[in-house]
Amino acid sequence: MKGLYEVNIQNKRIRYQFTIKRNITIIRGDSATGKTKLLEMIEAFSREGRSSGVELKCDVPCVVLHGGDWKQRLDYIHNSLVFIDECNSFIRQEAFASEVKYSDNYFILVTRDDLPNLSYSVEEIYGIRLSKQYAGLKQTYNELYHLYGEYENVFVEQPKKLLVEDSNSGYDFFRKLIVKGISCDTARGKSNIYRILLQNKSDEKCAVVADGAAFGSEMERIIQLIESGRAIALYLPESFEWMILKSDILDDKETRDILSHPEDYIESEKYSSWEQYFTKLLISKTVGTYLKYQKDFINKNYLQEKIARQIIDVFPDRMQKLFVPEKNVESLSD
Amino acid sequence: MLKVFLGDLKDEIYNPPIYFDNQYEDEWITDALSRQMILDIDKSDVISSHIIESPYLGAITPKELSGGVKTLILMANDESGSIFNATACGDNCAKWILEIANRKDLIITLHHGMRFGEGPFEIMILNTGRVVHNRQEWLDVVYDYV
């Protein structure tokens, strides 16, 4: 399944409108915001159609999955939006994670569990709120909003440390271009970042770069550290490979087209996370060229001043100042 | 005192809203604390044990309360000895969990890092026996288990 799907659903009193575009979407937040009501309406329409009194518009079927026989039911569901309400314990099982990976459905999970065995994007974690858009005197209009939007790209002045999720080419690239006075460390995986930050001195300023495409399960705990007063800046591009593609160093029209609406190219059956697609795309676009990309370590041609500057420029302005692409490449290629 | 078991616990009530629908008693709804929690979380007024006035849904029954409020009412009133999964509750329920635990010993499970605020509070982590008193101490331990 690929593409972007708008969902419009309403009854006499409540209306929801939102867009789904990746294989996994998470809905969480405070109690009594209408999460369960949304799923009740979808289930009523799924069971009774228009005679339920619910109006549902979507280009693909919307179904609600629950109960002990979830796996058997899922075997018969294809090219659909599959909604699962909170308190369904099976979503924490490895068996469920295996079904979601490479499924031909998109999943919308109402849950406060972090679900570390699923790769989901920080961009697809939503809360539900009343929209300011007018619906009607007797009808409230609910919309989804990015739950952590305000924390992305928050800068801290003069960080002492850059912590990079990646331990391969991305880390290799950043550590060779970091300005003097800032240490650059690898976390060796997303699941180590929280513990490393927690063990830092509480007043140590730290910038974190991680792959946003699969960082969703870590987001809540990192945000709670920031809320507790830690000086942490979060930079969450889709992935390092996405940054290279986005920098336009390939000067390739097809790449620009893909990045403008990746959901139309990334098949959920083939890629459990968008970062896998971007890695494969970058490798295929650079094979046989002087920019040949390999995951293990950075090709030194990416460290040439002009190319490195273009990649660093994908970061927000103030983050760019942490790097010096003008450094002598030869002295840095150790 | 609030006692929290972090992670899976055998025989916990993982889905409290369903348990509520099948076990609640009329007097739980009209109890003063329940009325306050329903007003604060669901913005709804209890008219009688069978009717609640919601600003969004109109007149509803207790079965249409939010999952968070249903879980709070169970924590406050259920005397079966059941242990309820508080991950059914949003962060806006945290202050009420602490309030219920001020009135009686309360044991819950959690599968996520609920925000209990800055503190001070007293929460015993049943996994270790450690008592935490503020957000920093809570963050030091909670994500070792969820």
mmCIF file of all heavy atoms in Angstrom, chain A residues 3 47 53 70 81 92 104 108 117 133 155 164 181 230 236-237 247 254 256 259 287 289 306 316 322:
data_model
loop_
_atom_site.group_PDB
_atom_site.id
_atom_site.type_symbol
_atom_site.label_atom_id
_atom_site.label_comp_id
_atom_site.label_asym_id
_atom_site.label_seq_id
_atom_site.Cartn_x
_atom_site.Cartn_y
_atom_site.Cartn_z
ATOM 1 N N GLY A 3 0.694 5.821 -0.805
ATOM 2 C CA GLY A 3 -0.182 6.952 -1.055
ATOM 3 C C GLY A 3 -0.689 7.607 0.209
ATOM 4 O O GLY A 3 -0.387 7.186 1.335
ATOM 5 N N ARG A 47 -19.604 -1.798 10.175
ATOM 6 C CA ARG A 47 -20.571 -2.871 10.425
ATOM 7 C C ARG A 47 -21.887 -2.633 9.694
ATOM 8 O O ARG A 47 -22.448 -3.544 9.093
ATOM 9 C CB ARG A 47 -20.830 -2.959 11.931
ATOM 10 C CG ARG A 47 -21.417 -4.264 12.402
ATOM 11 C CD ARG A 47 -21.447 -4.346 13.912
ATOM 12 N NE ARG A 47 -22.094 -3.207 14.544
ATOM 13 C CZ ARG A 47 -21.509 -2.389 15.408
ATOM 14 N NH1 ARG A 47 -20.269 -2.570 15.761
ATOM 15 N NH2 ARG A 47 -22.169 -1.366 15.931
ATOM 16 N N GLY A 53 -25.873 5.700 10.408
ATOM 17 C CA GLY A 53 -26.011 7.131 10.703
ATOM 18 C C GLY A 53 -24.671 7.853 10.677
ATOM 19 O O GLY A 53 -24.601 9.067 10.844
ATOM 20 N N TRP A 70 -7.471 -11.353 16.416
ATOM 21 C CA TRP A 70 -6.997 -10.269 15.547
ATOM 22 C C TRP A 70 -6.194 -10.789 14.357
ATOM 23 O O TRP A 70 -6.331 -10.282 13.242
ATOM 24 C CB TRP A 70 -6.161 -9.270 16.354
ATOM 25 C CG TRP A 70 -4.887 -9.836 16.914
ATOM 26 C CD1 TRP A 70 -4.708 -10.431 18.119
ATOM 27 C CD2 TRP A 70 -3.609 -9.891 16.251
ATOM 28 N NE1 TRP A 70 -3.407 -10.844 18.261
ATOM 29 C CE2 TRP A 70 -2.714 -10.524 17.138
ATOM 30 C CE3 TRP A 70 -3.140 -9.464 15.013
ATOM 31 C CZ2 TRP A 70 -1.371 -10.737 16.819
ATOM 32 C CZ3 TRP A 70 -1.797 -9.672 14.688
ATOM 33 C CH2 TRP A 70 -0.936 -10.305 15.597
ATOM 34 N N LEU A 81 -7.170 0.971 5.846
ATOM 35 C CA LEU A 81 -6.700 1.643 7.054
ATOM 36 C C LEU A 81 -7.228 0.841 8.238
ATOM 37 O O LEU A 81 -8.441 0.699 8.400
ATOM 38 C CB LEU A 81 -7.216 3.082 7.119
ATOM 39 C CG LEU A 81 -6.868 4.003 5.949
ATOM 40 C CD1 LEU A 81 -7.346 5.442 6.244
ATOM 41 C CD2 LEU A 81 -5.380 4.001 5.648
ATOM 42 N N ARG A 92 1.364 -4.969 21.603
ATOM 43 C CA ARG A 92 2.712 -4.970 22.173
ATOM 44 C C ARG A 92 3.456 -6.278 21.888
ATOM 45 O O ARG A 92 4.609 -6.437 22.250
ATOM 46 C CB ARG A 92 2.631 -4.719 23.678
ATOM 47 C CG ARG A 92 1.986 -3.370 23.997
ATOM 48 C CD ARG A 92 1.992 -3.065 25.473
ATOM 49 N NE ARG A 92 1.274 -4.060 26.222
ATOM 50 C CZ ARG A 92 1.726 -4.640 27.317
ATOM 51 N NH1 ARG A 92 2.902 -4.319 27.789
ATOM 52 N NH2 ARG A 92 0.997 -5.544 27.952
ATOM 53 N N ASP A 104 0.324 -4.892 3.695
ATOM 54 C CA ASP A 104 -0.267 -4.059 2.646
ATOM 55 C C ASP A 104 -1.392 -3.189 3.203
ATOM 56 O O ASP A 104 -2.216 -2.684 2.453
ATOM 57 C CB ASP A 104 -0.759 -4.914 1.474
ATOM 58 C CG ASP A 104 -1.789 -5.946 1.907
ATOM 59 O OD1 ASP A 104 -2.121 -5.997 3.107
ATOM 60 O OD2 ASP A 104 -2.265 -6.704 1.042
ATOM 61 N N ILE A 108 -3.365 2.504 12.236
ATOM 62 C CA ILE A 108 -3.547 3.683 13.082
ATOM 63 C C ILE A 108 -3.786 3.171 14.495
ATOM 64 O O ILE A 108 -4.834 2.559 14.781
ATOM 65 C CB ILE A 108 -4.726 4.560 12.604
ATOM 66 C CG1 ILE A 108 -4.466 5.032 11.165
ATOM 67 C CG2 ILE A 108 -4.902 5.752 13.528
ATOM 68 C CD1 ILE A 108 -5.036 4.141 10.095
ATOM 69 N N ASN A 117 9.135 -2.136 19.529
ATOM 70 C CA ASN A 117 9.365 -3.117 18.466
ATOM 71 C C ASN A 117 8.757 -2.699 17.124
ATOM 72 O O ASN A 117 8.806 -3.450 16.162
ATOM 73 C CB ASN A 117 8.860 -4.519 18.870
ATOM 74 C CG ASN A 117 7.447 -4.474 19.395
ATOM 75 O OD1 ASN A 117 6.847 -3.396 19.436
ATOM 76 N ND2 ASN A 117 6.917 -5.611 19.787
ATOM 77 N N GLN A 133 -11.710 25.514 13.145
ATOM 78 C CA GLN A 133 -12.549 25.628 11.951
ATOM 79 C C GLN A 133 -14.007 25.386 12.342
ATOM 80 O O GLN A 133 -14.313 24.457 13.093
ATOM 81 C CB GLN A 133 -12.101 24.593 10.915
ATOM 82 C CG GLN A 133 -12.714 24.786 9.552
ATOM 83 C CD GLN A 133 -12.118 23.802 8.554
ATOM 84 O OE1 GLN A 133 -10.925 23.475 8.610
ATOM 85 N NE2 GLN A 133 -12.949 23.310 7.655
ATOM 86 N N PHE A 155 16.560 24.942 19.465
ATOM 87 C CA PHE A 155 18.011 25.077 19.564
ATOM 88 C C PHE A 155 18.439 25.336 20.996
ATOM 89 O O PHE A 155 17.710 25.947 21.775
ATOM 90 C CB PHE A 155 18.473 26.230 18.671
ATOM 91 C CG PHE A 155 19.954 26.252 18.447
ATOM 92 C CD1 PHE A 155 20.549 25.301 17.631
ATOM 93 C CD2 PHE A 155 20.755 27.201 19.045
ATOM 94 C CE1 PHE A 155 21.920 25.311 17.417
ATOM 95 C CE2 PHE A 155 22.122 27.221 18.834
ATOM 96 C CZ PHE A 155 22.704 26.274 18.020
ATOM 97 N N VAL A 164 24.913 11.473 18.194
ATOM 98 C CA VAL A 164 24.374 10.999 16.919
ATOM 99 C C VAL A 164 23.895 9.563 17.091
ATOM 100 O O VAL A 164 24.627 8.716 17.613
ATOM 101 C CB VAL A 164 25.462 11.062 15.820
ATOM 102 C CG1 VAL A 164 24.892 10.626 14.474
ATOM 103 C CG2 VAL A 164 26.041 12.462 15.728
ATOM 104 N N GLY A 181 35.823 22.127 19.974
ATOM 105 C CA GLY A 181 35.212 22.463 21.265
ATOM 106 C C GLY A 181 33.912 21.730 21.535
ATOM 107 O O GLY A 181 33.392 21.752 22.648
ATOM 108 N N ARG A 230 16.195 19.798 31.033
ATOM 109 C CA ARG A 230 17.469 19.486 30.386
ATOM 110 C C ARG A 230 17.622 20.324 29.109
ATOM 111 O O ARG A 230 16.657 20.493 28.355
ATOM 112 C CB ARG A 230 17.538 18.005 30.012
ATOM 113 C CG ARG A 230 17.453 17.044 31.185
ATOM 114 C CD ARG A 230 18.662 17.175 32.096
ATOM 115 N NE ARG A 230 18.665 16.149 33.117
ATOM 116 C CZ ARG A 230 19.460 15.071 33.098
ATOM 117 N NH1 ARG A 230 20.323 14.912 32.111
ATOM 118 N NH2 ARG A 230 19.396 14.182 34.063
ATOM 119 N N LEU A 236 15.755 15.973 13.920
ATOM 120 C CA LEU A 236 15.245 14.676 13.495
ATOM 121 C C LEU A 236 14.898 14.662 12.007
ATOM 122 O O LEU A 236 13.733 14.576 11.623
ATOM 123 C CB LEU A 236 14.007 14.317 14.329
ATOM 124 C CG LEU A 236 14.228 14.318 15.844
ATOM 125 C CD1 LEU A 236 12.902 14.171 16.585
ATOM 126 C CD2 LEU A 236 15.182 13.200 16.248
ATOM 127 N N PRO A 237 15.925 14.736 11.143
ATOM 128 C CA PRO A 237 15.641 14.528 9.716
ATOM 129 C C PRO A 237 15.172 13.095 9.528
ATOM 130 O O PRO A 237 15.397 12.243 10.394
ATOM 131 C CB PRO A 237 17.008 14.758 9.062
ATOM 132 C CG PRO A 237 18.004 14.445 10.130
ATOM 133 C CD PRO A 237 17.352 14.848 11.435
ATOM 134 N N SER A 247 19.770 17.446 -0.037
ATOM 135 C CA SER A 247 20.760 18.500 -0.296
ATOM 136 C C SER A 247 20.871 18.839 -1.777
ATOM 137 O O SER A 247 21.439 19.855 -2.145
ATOM 138 C CB SER A 247 22.127 18.060 0.220
ATOM 139 O OG SER A 247 22.657 17.043 -0.617
ATOM 140 N N GLU A 254 14.213 13.359 -10.679
ATOM 141 C CA GLU A 254 13.387 12.292 -10.106
ATOM 142 C C GLU A 254 13.500 12.277 -8.571
ATOM 143 O O GLU A 254 12.505 12.110 -7.871
ATOM 144 C CB GLU A 254 13.793 10.935 -10.663
ATOM 145 C CG GLU A 254 12.836 9.834 -10.200
ATOM 146 C CD GLU A 254 13.328 8.434 -10.548
ATOM 147 O OE1 GLU A 254 14.541 8.168 -10.445
ATOM 148 O OE2 GLU A 254 12.482 7.603 -10.899
ATOM 149 N N ARG A 256 14.153 14.819 -6.634
ATOM 150 C CA ARG A 256 13.376 15.961 -6.113
ATOM 151 C C ARG A 256 11.884 15.644 -6.112
ATOM 152 O O ARG A 256 11.170 15.961 -5.165
ATOM 153 C CB ARG A 256 13.674 17.216 -6.948
ATOM 154 C CG ARG A 256 15.034 17.842 -6.666
ATOM 155 C CD ARG A 256 15.148 19.234 -7.279
ATOM 156 N NE ARG A 256 15.258 19.190 -8.724
ATOM 157 C CZ ARG A 256 16.411 19.173 -9.415
ATOM 158 N NH1 ARG A 256 17.564 19.204 -8.771
ATOM 159 N NH2 ARG A 256 16.413 19.146 -10.734
ATOM 160 N N LEU A 259 11.094 13.222 -3.223
ATOM 161 C CA LEU A 259 11.135 13.836 -1.890
ATOM 162 C C LEU A 259 9.969 14.798 -1.657
ATOM 163 O O LEU A 259 9.624 15.086 -0.517
ATOM 164 C CB LEU A 259 12.461 14.568 -1.684
ATOM 165 C CG LEU A 259 13.708 13.685 -1.634
ATOM 166 C CD1 LEU A 259 14.931 14.502 -1.268
ATOM 167 C CD2 LEU A 259 13.548 12.540 -0.638
ATOM 168 N N VAL A 287 25.417 4.617 -7.343
ATOM 169 C CA VAL A 287 26.266 3.482 -7.708
ATOM 170 C C VAL A 287 27.037 3.815 -9.004
ATOM 171 O O VAL A 287 26.482 4.387 -9.947
ATOM 172 C CB VAL A 287 25.420 2.188 -7.866
ATOM 173 C CG1 VAL A 287 24.480 2.276 -9.065
ATOM 174 C CG2 VAL A 287 26.311 0.964 -7.985
ATOM 175 N N THR A 289 29.284 6.069 -9.395
ATOM 176 C CA THR A 289 29.675 7.478 -9.482
ATOM 177 C C THR A 289 30.688 7.794 -8.385
ATOM 178 O O THR A 289 30.901 6.997 -7.466
ATOM 179 C CB THR A 289 28.469 8.426 -9.309
ATOM 180 O OG1 THR A 289 28.098 8.448 -7.920
ATOM 181 C CG2 THR A 289 27.282 7.968 -10.142
ATOM 182 N N LYS A 306 32.249 21.956 -0.854
ATOM 183 C CA LYS A 306 30.975 22.368 -1.442
ATOM 184 C C LYS A 306 29.868 21.338 -1.160
ATOM 185 O O LYS A 306 28.734 21.688 -0.817
ATOM 186 C CB LYS A 306 31.142 22.555 -2.954
ATOM 187 C CG LYS A 306 29.911 23.143 -3.620
ATOM 188 C CD LYS A 306 30.112 23.320 -5.120
ATOM 189 C CE LYS A 306 28.796 23.774 -5.749
ATOM 190 N NZ LYS A 306 28.755 23.534 -7.189
ATOM 191 N N PRO A 316 18.484 23.104 10.087
ATOM 192 C CA PRO A 316 18.051 24.479 10.370
ATOM 193 C C PRO A 316 19.275 25.389 10.561
ATOM 194 O O PRO A 316 20.354 24.914 10.938
ATOM 195 C CB PRO A 316 17.279 24.341 11.691
ATOM 196 C CG PRO A 316 16.907 22.915 11.780
ATOM 197 C CD PRO A 316 17.976 22.138 11.069
ATOM 198 N N LEU A 322 27.201 24.383 13.923
ATOM 199 C CA LEU A 322 27.968 23.392 14.678
ATOM 200 C C LEU A 322 29.002 22.690 13.795
ATOM 201 O O LEU A 322 29.815 21.916 14.294
ATOM 202 C CB LEU A 322 27.041 22.333 15.283
ATOM 203 C CG LEU A 322 25.924 22.815 16.201
ATOM 204 C CD1 LEU A 322 25.214 21.621 16.823
ATOM 205 C CD2 LEU A 322 26.459 23.736 17.286
#
